[in-house]
Every structure is written in C-alpha cells, then in structure tokens.
Amino acid sequence: MVIIRMTGGLGNQMFQYALYLKLCSMGKEVKFDDFTEYEGREARPVMLWVFGIDYPRATKEELNIITDGFLKLSHRIRRKLFGRKSLEYHEKDGNFDQQVLAKDPAYLTGYFQSEKYFKDIEEKVRQAFVFSERIWSGCSNASDSNKLGLKDGRKLAVEQYLEQIENCLSVSVHVRRGDYLENNEVYGGICTEKYYLSAFERMLDAFSGAVFFLFSNDTAWAGRWIKELGRELKLSKDRFVVVEGATEDTGYLDLLLMSRCRHHILANSSFSWWGAWLNASGEKLVIAPSKWFNNQDLQDIYTEDMIRISPEGECMSL
C-alpha cells in the first residue's frame, strides 16, 4: 500500500490527488492520510469535495503500521533498541522526484508540485477536476446541498462574472497577499510591482484589447491598485475587474472563474497555477514569476508554455 499525506489548501490538495491518480494508473493500492494535517482547530479544510471527489482514507492503524508509529510500550522499547522502521518518504527538493513513483509500500509526504507526475494521464486529471454542483451551496455533502439550494445568490454572482469573462479577451491576474505578506522570507520580493507591470505590458503587446480580472485575498487593496495601473498603462478603468464575493471558505469560486479566463498572469501560488492549468486551450498565454520561493529552487513547477518574468521585470523565457 501507498499512503499519501494530504496537506495544504485546495491547490496543494489537487497536486496530491493528481499524484494519487498517477499511482493508481500504475496499479498501486493508494490511500490518503487526511487527518494528521487536518485535526487541529486552525487547520485548513479538505476541499476536494468541490469536484465531487471521494477517495480512500487510510485508517490510523494502517498509518501506524507504515510509519512504525504504535505507542504501546513494547513498540516504544523496540524502537529505542533497534530504531524506527518507518516507510515514510519525503520528496527530495520540491522538484520532480522519480522515487515518489517507485516507492511501494510507502508513506509519501510532500507537495508534488509538478505536471511531470501526471502529464501522461492529463485527460484523466482534467476529468477529475470538474466542478460539482455542490459549490453553489458550499456543502461537501450532496444531500445537504440539495436541501439548501442556492446560497446568498452565489450562483447568480458567478454567472455574471462568467458572462463578462467569456465575452472579452479575459486575463486572470492573481495577487496573493495576506499570509504571503507575513512570511516575507519565503515569498517576498518575487511578485513585485515590476513583475506585474511587465506581465501586463506583455499581455497588452499580444492582446491589445485585453481585460484584466483581478483575483486577490485583499480586494480592497486590489481596488486601489488598479487605479495606479490604469495611469501607468494608460488604460481606462473598464479594462480592470476586481472579482469580489469569494471568502476564505469559498475560494474555489475564484478558481472556477480563473480557469474560464483566456489567458493568465500567475502569482507564485499553486492556486493560480491550477487556475491556468484547468484552462485546456492551446492558445492560452501564461505568465509566471521566474522564481517560485526564496528558499527552494523549483524548476519543475513550470510547464512548457509558461513565460517567466523576473522580479525586476525581465523576461526569462519565450
């Protein structure tokens, strides 16, 4: 058996589920540990239900067997004398790691943020990540969703944005603030003003009529920012739309809307990565920061179609 430790928010969970699909396609028995990271009060919720996904869950006994984690005195004494016999394997450095696919049995930990893990089963992954009707009520349980019906006009609001997105040269722009501002050592100095300005200019060179849809966890700030952008780029305010209404709990609505845009400007975030990837168009233009994190050299997170721009605004790839 292979057990994958689920961790992080929706974007990370999607990478882990894509790996699950790949391992299953190889004939492996695979389950998820979805309790170790998610038992705490402050834990982010498991969100794969937005795609109608259910998955096999490992029991705590199975997890203890594969990690040699039993707490009985006899097990503790044996570990003290002979060492722990855990089958845990952590991905090496955040890039594609062939050993992740080879280990069996194993307890796999990591983020697995690379299309290389599942490129050969791309269609299967796309079929899995189709949004469920449950998103309109915000319910993970289908029966509860049917009882509640539409909640707070959510579907109507999203449909209005979708109409705008589908009737123009729409470009999604993801700006991650909040937690990213609090951890400057890892995330800071990457998606700079120069990065975004260069990305906007490159999009406008390719599509002079582009309309930019801004997705952010700080929409008040985004509203002020577009006024500066409009002056800098000499664009009228109707060329920018700040997408509002999604909360921390309903961020998947932003992911849906991002995926329907024609082109994409990413933050260094797995969330906007998937927003672009879910757009299956071969004509899309995707711009990404040339550096993903300050503390890791991630190269395999980039797909072949991405244009990379540095924090200084320089284009690093064509």
Side-chain angles (χ1 to χ4, degrees):
M1 180 187 296
V2 175
I3 298 175
I4 300 172
R5 178 167 173 162
M6 194 177 288
T7 189
L10 178 57
N12 291 323
Q13 293 166 23
M14 291 171 72
F15 274 115
Q16 291 149 17
Y17 188 77
L19 173 64
Y20 162 82
L21 291 176
K22 171 60 179 178
L23 294 174
C24 288
S25 75
M26 297 169 66
K28 298 177 184 286
E29 180 186 3
V30 191
K31 294 185 178 182
F32 277 99
D33 164 16
D34 63 356
F35 49 85
T36 299
E37 288 279 347
Y38 296 96
E39 286 185 326
R41 183 175 297 177
E42 300 300 320
R44 302 168 79 174
V46 178
M47 299 293 284
L48 291 177
W49 65 264
V50 305
F51 304 111
I53 287 173
D54 196 12
Y55 50 82
R57 294 166 171 82
T59 65
K60 291 192 176 183
E61 182 176 9
E62 288 171 330
L63 184 60
N64 281 328
I65 290 172
I66 210 164
T67 62
D68 192 11
F70 286 109
L71 297 178
K72 289 182 179 180
L73 180 59
S74 59
H75 290 276
R76 296 205 303 269
I77 292 172
R78 176 183 52 76
R79 286 195 293 268
K80 189 74 172 177
L81 292 173
F82 303 107
R84 194 180 194 118
K85 298 180 179 179
S86 174
L87 295 175
E88 180 174 354
Y89 181 80
H90 189 82
E91 63 174 346
K92 286 184 180 177
D93 58 9
N95 290 299
F96 175 71
D97 181 357
Q98 185 67 45
Q99 286 299 307
V100 169
L101 302 180
K103 295 288 185 180
D104 187 6
Y107 178 58
L108 300 177
T109 61
Y111 292 101
F112 319 112
Q113 294 180 329
S114 175
E115 186 188 46
K116 292 181 178 181
Y117 284 111
F118 55 88
K119 180 64 176 175
D120 61 331
I121 59 161
E122 176 178 339
E123 190 55 37
K124 185 173 291 189
V125 175
R126 292 194 181 280
Q127 289 172 4
F129 293 146
V130 175
F131 288 91
S132 163
E133 286 294 309
R134 300 179 202 171
I135 63 175
W136 306 123
S137 62
C139 290
S140 59
N141 184 281
S143 60
D144 287 346
S145 180
N146 292 334
K147 291 175 187 175
L148 287 171
L150 303 185
K151 183 178 181 182
D152 301 330
R154 185 173 292 142
K155 188 172 185 180
L156 177 60
V158 171
E159 286 176 342
Q160 289 173 341
Y161 280 124
L162 282 174
E163 185 176 3
Q164 289 179 277
I165 286 169
E166 291 170 356
N167 286 288
C168 68
L169 275 168
S170 52
V171 179
S172 74
V173 183
H174 189 208
V175 183
R176 183 81 174 262
R177 286 172 61 81
D179 57 332
Y180 271 38
L181 297 180
E182 297 165 6
N183 196 348
N184 195 62
E185 184 177 337
V186 176
Y187 306 116
I190 295 175
C191 291
T192 61
E193 292 283 342
K194 289 182 179 179
Y195 162 73
Y196 279 110
L197 187 59
S198 179
F200 276 103
E201 290 173 341
R202 182 163 288 275
M203 280 290 179
L204 290 167
D205 286 343
F207 312 104
S208 59
V211 178
F212 299 98
F213 290 78
L214 274 70
F215 298 85
S216 178
N217 53 354
D218 188 347
T219 55
W221 173 90
R224 297 190 295 270
W225 186 49
I226 62 172
K227 294 179 181 178
E228 299 174 17
L229 282 172
R231 289 192 294 269
E232 189 82 24
L233 298 168
K234 296 179 173 59
L235 294 177
S236 60
K237 64 180 181 180
D238 61 350
R239 301 288 294 277
F240 302 94
V241 178
V242 178
V243 178
E244 299 182 276
T247 65
E248 193 71 28
D249 293 332
T250 61
Y252 47 82
L253 298 177
D254 278 354
L255 185 65
L256 167 63
L257 291 169
M258 277 186 200
S259 70
R260 298 293 181 87
C261 290
R262 300 191 188 190
H263 310 287
H264 309 274
I265 296 173
L266 309 189
N268 53 330
S269 162
S270 60
F271 191 79
S272 52
W273 190 100
W274 281 106
W277 192 89
L278 291 176
N279 174 4
S281 170
E283 304 299 317
K284 67 184 177 184
L285 181 60
V286 181
I287 295 178
S290 63
K291 181 167 61 171
W292 208 257
F293 297 140
N294 290 321
N295 61 345
Q296 285 181 288
D297 182 21
L298 299 187
Q299 294 300 318
D300 291 341
I301 197 166
Y302 298 101
T303 55
E304 291 181 359
D305 60 342
M306 288 180 179
I307 295 174
R308 305 185 205 179
I309 293 180
S310 74
E312 294 74 36
E314 299 174 0
C315 183
M316 310 297 288
S317 58
L318 296 176

